[in-house]
Amino acid sequence: MNIDEFRQHAHLMVDWMADYLSNIEQYPVKSTVTPREVYNSIAPVAPKEPEDMATIFQDFEAKILPGITHWQHPNFHAYFSGNSSYPSVLAEMLTATLGAQCMIWDTSPAAAELEEKMMNWLKQMMNLPLNWDGVIQDTASTATLASILTAREKCSNFQINRKGFQNNEELRIYCSQETHSSIEKAVKIAGIGSDNLVKILVDEHLAMDTKNLEAAILADLKQNKVPLCVVATLGTTGTTAIDPLFEISKICQRYDIWLHVDAAFAGTALLLEEYRDMVKGIEAVDTFVFNPHKWMFTNFDCSVYFVKDKQALIKTFEIMPEYLKTNVDHLQINNYRDWGVPLGRRFRALKLWFVMRSFGENGLKERLRHHIKMAKDLAIKIENHGNFEMVMPTHFNMITFRCVQNKLSLDQLNDLNRELNTQLNQSGKVYLTHTTVNQKYILRMVIGKTYVEQQHVDMAWQLIQDIAKRLI
């Protein structure tokens, strides 16, 4: 392909992209292909000779698109949103065109300095401690791993990085029973061992019970184990429960324990003044992560990781081979390859810059409040319906509910709701996921797509009622 052909096909594909986003509701939200269907449709070996782009794109539409679940569909209410927006897509196009590898300041000064500035913008917009430093990671899983590794190194005076585990030190990590699975994965990767992850009981709201936390810490101290880190979650995956950060922070200060906050989904809500009570005690936090790619209308992947002690982070990850040394390293610059696991880094700050400037702070707040209002209004309708019940409080823009019938046992109700969820997703009109609370199978519905509107929520609610009525 030459540059003229590139220009021609780029124009055609941008038109296709705009048409796709304009008409996305014509697609089933969830892909309906069967396992191996896409695989078997692809040629068994690569072509020997070049193929023209028109043919390749035809195959994209015929073979790939049917196997895509349309995450930007306004009726996508599953998981947590993996959001995008028009300005974010434009920035991603520029990022792909530049093809920059932004591992150190020297390889793209604008990438490093824009990233630093975007972290400062976010601290101000979200009223986070201004003495924190920030970096963009790919996902919250990576950020949590970075936090636990830094806590491990600081606790060992950075000796585990040099010598490995010498005396089978029993370092202990604490989180609630509702904490995301990425915490356990990070504990395993860090060499601490999943047996040393202590899952704390939760209260009636499924938030961490701080009395149980302190009891677990004291029990470990009596057995000469080392309480290393507590992970507090703001907005758990199952029900968006909010751990009591202030009380947890006091316990961590009392016993000199590292405190990491996983606000992957709900952190975006800190743009809104009315949600900032949930971070009372934030000054005592060592590390904090949230994902703009979940609810801040920024294409995946973009995870913002703030640290109180950047030197501890850098000392944990810094390696300086000769081929990475530059003649500006002695200056006040950020070489972000030293701020996490990967050496190679994408220019993620560009899409954040585009999104925050295009929406503006007030525009972001307006969109978030719109989502929250639609969720809370729907929660009221569900609560007032004779055949449904809300299961947990609606903190943000996610509701947890189930269909109920007085004559049915718990197992029968679980089967009913499981079938309801299956038929909703098979309809192609909506996509919801589930969780379990106190052995109850419940539906999760997130109202957070960038361009979702009231008519989409109304349609989903009507479909839920119609299918439930048939099942009952």
Side-chain angles (χ1 to χ4, degrees), residues 154-261:
K154 199 167 184 179
C155 175
S156 70
N157 196 26
F158 300 90
Q159 292 304 298
I160 294 176
N161 261 357
R162 291 183 62 244
K163 300 177 181 179
F165 286 91
Q166 295 295 300
N167 302 308
N168 296 316
E169 303 94 331
E170 278 198 88
L171 303 176
R172 304 285 272 182
I173 310 289
Y174 308 87
C175 66
S176 91
Q177 294 173 322
E178 295 292 311
T179 302
H180 193 268
S181 60
S182 60
I183 311 304
E184 183 170 352
K185 181 182 286 189
V187 170
K188 291 162 68 175
I189 295 171
I192 294 168
S194 58
D195 285 351
N196 289 311
L197 177 63
V198 183
K199 296 187 177 180
I200 305 300
L201 296 175
V202 294
D203 62 20
E204 68 274 19
H205 303 298
L206 302 189
M208 184 187 291
D209 186 309
T210 53
K211 289 182 180 179
N212 278 287
L213 171 63
E214 188 161 20
I217 292 168
L218 289 170
D220 283 341
L221 287 170
K222 286 182 180 179
Q223 297 182 46
N224 296 318
K225 297 177 181 179
V226 181
L228 176 68
C229 172
V230 175
V231 179
T233 304
L234 305 181
T236 58
T237 302
T239 65
T240 66
I242 301 170
D243 287 343
L245 182 60
F246 181 71
E247 290 81 1
I248 293 171
S249 70
K250 293 300 180 185
I251 293 171
C252 289
Q253 288 176 309
R254 192 175 305 139
Y255 299 100
D256 192 23
I257 301 174
W258 184 274
L259 177 54
H260 173 60
V261 172

Side-chain angles (χ1 to χ4, degrees), residues 81-123:
S81 300
N83 266 346
S84 177
S85 63
Y86 305 141
S88 181
V89 171
L90 293 175
E92 284 279 45
M93 291 165 63
L94 294 177
T95 299
T97 301
L98 293 172
Q101 211 279 46
C102 308
M103 55 186 175
I104 57 178
W105 183 92
D106 224 32
T107 58
S108 277
E113 296 188 11
L114 183 62
E115 185 162 338
E116 182 178 3
K117 183 66 76 172
M118 292 304 95
M119 300 302 95
N120 289 338
W121 278 18
L122 285 169
K123 284 187 296 184

Side-chain angles (χ1 to χ4, degrees), residues 21-182:
L21 294 171
S22 295
N23 303 305
I24 195 168
E25 293 182 55
Q26 72 182 0
Y27 297 96
V29 185
K30 186 178 183 294
S31 172
T32 58
V33 301
T34 56
R36 309 297 285 179
E37 183 178 337
V38 175
Y39 179 89
N40 291 331
S41 74
I42 307 297
V45 296
K48 296 290 186 184
E49 302 299 330
E51 296 183 330
D52 66 274
M53 186 53 63
T55 300
I56 296 169
F57 193 74
Q58 286 173 4
D59 280 351
F60 163 78
E61 290 187 297
K63 299 178 179 181
I64 303 302
L65 208 55
I68 295 296
T69 289
H70 299 280
W71 280 69
Q72 305 315 312
H73 199 297
N75 292 318
F76 184 104
H77 302 295
Y79 303 104
F80 285 135
S81 300
N83 266 346
S84 177
S85 63
Y86 305 141
S88 181
V89 171
L90 293 175
E92 284 279 45
M93 291 165 63
L94 294 177
T95 299
T97 301
L98 293 172
Q101 211 279 46
C102 308
M103 55 186 175
I104 57 178
W105 183 92
D106 224 32
T107 58
S108 277
E113 296 188 11
L114 183 62
E115 185 162 338
E116 182 178 3
K117 183 66 76 172
M118 292 304 95
M119 300 302 95
N120 289 338
W121 278 18
L122 285 169
K123 284 187 296 184
Q124 294 163 7
M125 291 166 64
M126 302 170 77
N127 198 35
L128 296 172
L130 296 180
N131 63 331
W132 282 1
D133 291 281
V135 60
I136 302 177
Q137 307 281 8
D138 52 3
T139 63
S141 299
T142 300
T144 295
L145 175 60
S147 178
I148 290 174
L149 288 172
T150 308
R152 185 195 75 182
E153 289 310 300
K154 199 167 184 179
C155 175
S156 70
N157 196 26
F158 300 90
Q159 292 304 298
I160 294 176
N161 261 357
R162 291 183 62 244
K163 300 177 181 179
F165 286 91
Q166 295 295 300
N167 302 308
N168 296 316
E169 303 94 331
E170 278 198 88
L171 303 176
R172 304 285 272 182
I173 310 289
Y174 308 87
C175 66
S176 91
Q177 294 173 322
E178 295 292 311
T179 302
H180 193 268
S181 60
S182 60

